[in-house]
């Protein structure tokens, strides 16, 4: 599933998607967005993949934003289309049945920060930097940054990041809950793979249901969200994985889940 601007690899049941335009710090143009869309559509249909890691090629950058060279000539209609395209791709990541971990190896700016926030959670290299610098370019985020960032770090902190365009360090990102863990750059992929590997050992249908409950529930009032959780919980009891998981516990052995 390699494409021109992405590297696709698998390690067991873990897929690794690397944005690969290091000369422009992995900036997202239309071509990359379309490739991401196709790649994630393929992953969604692949029951052999239990978790996904997204990262950026090279030493320096995760993704330094949407491609400013490509955007600079846009008119209003093209800009709207580009924004909607990116939103569609990032929604696909958010709605993917499998969890997606962003392994943020360097700059995560603008569309790069938006890509990271569309993932389920983020771990970062010490040297990673985060920001939404769009206002410095005379525009605002258009791949979900004004919506996902406040849901993650709170409206006040998001407002500061969105209005100043300031970059923050990985330590500050950890403090505000934008990332879950900070590790030295050389340990980043191992750490991401270790977490993804633990996820891959759990019941995949249950992990998907937990992801759906988190995502859908956050858009509902509490009572509806709790009803939704109860439905997903109950649905688990129609699966072979539930029988296997509970039998394995009672028999004091490792569960062998089949995603059935
Ligand atoms: C296109 C980019 C780019 C980008 C970097 N490059 N970011 N090209 N789009 N977003 C290119 C540079 O032009 C340069 O090309 C090469 O990558 C290396 O970058 P430098 O600037 O020389 O590196 P450095 O001095 O180390 O600075 C790193 C940096 C800076 C701080 C990350 O590159 C930077 O500020 N980039 C832009 C960040 C940004 O504003 N992102 C938000 C974009 S708007 P050459 O050819 O000179 O070697 C956005 C909107 C999303 O994301 C929503 C759309 C709907």
């Amino acid at each position: 599933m390699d494409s021109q601007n992405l590297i696709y690899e698998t390690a067991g049941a873990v897929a690794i998607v690397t944005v690969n335009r290091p000369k422009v710090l992995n900036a997202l143009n239309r071509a990359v967005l379309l490739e991401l869309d196709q790649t994630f559509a393929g992953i969604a249909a692949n029951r052999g993949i239990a978790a996904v890691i997204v990262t950026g090629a090279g030493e320096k950058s995760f993704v330094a934003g949407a491609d400013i060279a490509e955007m600079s000539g846009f008119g209003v209609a093209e800009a709207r289309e580009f924004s909607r395209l990116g939103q569609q791709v990032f929604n696909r990541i958010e709605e993917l049945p499998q969890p997606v971990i962003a392994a943020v190896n360097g700059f995560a700016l603008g569309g790069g920060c938006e890509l990271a926030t569309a993932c389920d959670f983020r771990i970062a290299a010490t040297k990673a930097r985060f920001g939404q610098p769009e206002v410095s370019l005379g525009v605002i985020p258009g791949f979900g940054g004004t919506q996902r960032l406040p849901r993650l770090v709170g409206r006040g902190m998001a407002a500061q990041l969105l209005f100043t365009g300031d970059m923050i360090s990985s330590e500050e990102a950890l403090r505000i809950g934008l990332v879950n863990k900070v590790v030295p750059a050389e340990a980043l992929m191992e750490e991401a793979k270790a977490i993804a590997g633990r996820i891959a050992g759990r019941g995949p249908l249950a992990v998907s249901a937990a992801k759906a409950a988190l995502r859908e529930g956050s858009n509902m009032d509490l009572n509806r969200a709790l009803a939704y959780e109860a439905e997903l919980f109950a649905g688990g009891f129609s699966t072979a994985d539930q029988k296997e998981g509970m039998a394995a516990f009672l028999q004091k052995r490792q569960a062998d889940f089949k995603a059935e």
Side-chain angles (χ1 to χ4, degrees):
M1 256 202 309
D2 265 2
S3 49
Q4 212 181 337
N5 301 293
L6 298 179
I7 301 166
Y8 180 83
E9 298 162 285
T10 54
V14 177
I16 303 166
V17 178
T18 304
V19 180
N20 186 29
R21 298 184 76 207
K23 283 191 183 140
V24 288
L25 306 187
N26 304 321
L28 302 174
N29 58 14
R30 276 183 282 221
V32 186
L33 290 173
L34 291 170
E35 290 172 24
L36 281 170
D37 203 40
Q38 274 193 343
T39 299
F40 278 96
I43 293 171
N46 184 347
R47 296 311 301 166
I49 299 300
V52 186
I53 299 168
V54 178
T55 193
E59 298 281 289
K60 204 167 158 181
S61 183
F62 174 70
V63 165
D67 190 321
I68 299 169
E70 186 176 76
M71 283 189 298
S72 61
F74 282 174
V76 171
E78 277 171 304
R80 182 181 299 114
E81 215 174 285
F82 187 61
S83 171
R84 297 302 280 175
L85 171 64
Q87 290 177 352
Q88 172 198 310
V89 177
F90 292 4
N91 282 347
R92 192 192 279 289
I93 293 173
E94 200 171 60
E95 289 164 13
L96 201 78
Q98 301 94 330
V100 184
I101 304 169
V104 182
N105 53 309
F107 291 114
L109 302 176
C113 192
E114 292 170 298
L115 171 60
T117 58
C119 297
D120 292 293
F121 58 89
R122 292 139 290 283
I123 63 170
T126 315
K127 67 184 167 88
R129 297 285 176 274
F130 296 80
Q132 295 288 164
E134 285 88 346
V135 289
S136 313
L137 300 167
V139 294
I140 70 166
F143 295 157
T146 64
Q147 303 309 311
R148 289 199 177 93
L149 190 62
R151 283 164 169 79
L152 202 56
V153 303
R155 190 163 152 184
M157 193 53 76
Q160 188 175 334
L161 288 168
L162 290 165
F163 303 164
T164 62
D166 286 348
M167 269 191 241
I168 58 168
S169 66
S170 56
E171 285 307 320
E172 177 69 352
L174 182 66
R175 196 185 66 79
I176 67 175
L178 183 53
V179 304
N180 289 5
K181 190 166 186 184
V182 177
V183 296
E186 56 278 14
L188 181 67
M189 287 312 289
E190 283 319 305
E191 180 66 25
K193 284 183 200 166
I195 299 171
R198 290 205 296 284
I199 292 170
R202 311 306 183 215
L205 299 178
V207 172
S208 280
K211 175 165 173 169
L214 266 174
R215 180 187 63 241
E216 302 298 327
S218 68
N219 297 322
M220 296 175 187
D221 66 56
L222 183 63
N223 281 329
R224 279 192 59 217
L226 289 172
Y228 184 63
E229 180 191 68
E231 278 315 300
L232 290 175
F233 172 76
F237 286 76
S238 68
T239 67
D241 281 357
Q242 174 266 328
K243 297 190 176 34
E244 167 62 12
M246 293 191 182
F249 175 82
L250 294 172
Q251 294 160 13
K252 303 190 190 302
R253 61 172 173 83
Q254 196 81 19
D256 178 19
F257 293 113
K258 301 272 192 256
E260 287 166 3

